[in-house]
Amino acid sequence: MTIRPYTDGDLEELLGVWYRASLIAHPFLSDEFLTNERQEISARWLPMAETTVYDVDGHVVGFIALIGNEVGAIFVDPDHQSTGVGRALMNHARESRPFLELSVFEANAIGRRFYDAYGFEFVDRHIHEASGETELRLRLG
């Protein structure tokens, strides 16, 4: 197990983790939305984010992407969920930031349980334009 910076060679495994976890956490999102988001991740979000991966035996099983104090993404492969990977990634991010903020879909029960257990607090509720879904804004101070 290693927590390390993302490299370009991690892209396909990272996208695989994101997709498999998204199918479970976001069953309310359309295939079209997920296809578009996959392209946005590699073309737009990864280049601007500070991304850290959780590596087990040379394979990416989780990642967290930070843009300043914003958790742009945190995803753990379903086979490795509830094993401490997400908490380890969040702890790693927490060490380098005075606070963290994020948005989570209100319908994402898995993510909301994780953030609640970690201690994030509700700040605001808004509509995510691209999906039309309600998102919650959370902060960990």
Side-chain angles (χ1 to χ4, degrees), residues 115-136:
Y115 299 130
D116 286 348
Y118 201 86
F120 278 84
E121 296 180 355
F122 175 81
V123 174
D124 191 21
R125 174 181 277 110
H126 59 273
I127 300 297
H128 180 256
E129 283 188 40
S131 68
E133 293 287 330
T134 301
E135 278 190 318
L136 305 178

Side-chain angles (χ1 to χ4, degrees), residues 70 99-104 112 115-116 119-126 135-141:
E70 177 80 14
F99 65 92
L100 294 171
E101 291 187 334
L102 58 85
S103 292
V104 59
R112 290 181 56 205
Y115 299 130
D116 286 348
F120 278 84
E121 296 180 355
F122 175 81
V123 174
D124 191 21
R125 174 181 277 110
H126 59 273
E135 278 190 318
L136 305 178
R137 187 75 179 158
L138 306 177
R139 180 182 173 105
L140 180 67

Side-chain angles (χ1 to χ4, degrees), residues 17-90:
V17 166
W18 167 81
Y19 184 71
R20 289 186 298 277
S22 289
L23 289 177
I24 293 170
H26 307 140
F28 47 88
L29 296 175
S30 70
D31 290 339
E32 179 183 359
F33 180 87
L34 291 176
T35 298
N36 290 337
E37 193 66 15
R38 181 183 173 102
Q39 293 168 347
E40 286 286 306
I41 290 169
S42 57
R44 182 175 177 199
W45 298 115
L46 283 175
M48 74 168 62
E50 176 187 331
T51 304
T52 302
V53 300
Y54 193 104
D55 180 311
V56 174
D57 298 328
H59 296 284
V60 174
V61 301
F63 70 94
I64 189 167
L66 301 173
I67 302 169
N69 294 318
E70 177 80 14
V71 178
I74 180 170
F75 287 88
V76 176
D77 188 89
D79 291 342
H80 293 269
Q81 290 179 1
S82 299
T83 65
V85 172
R87 183 166 285 280
L89 287 166
M90 194 65 77

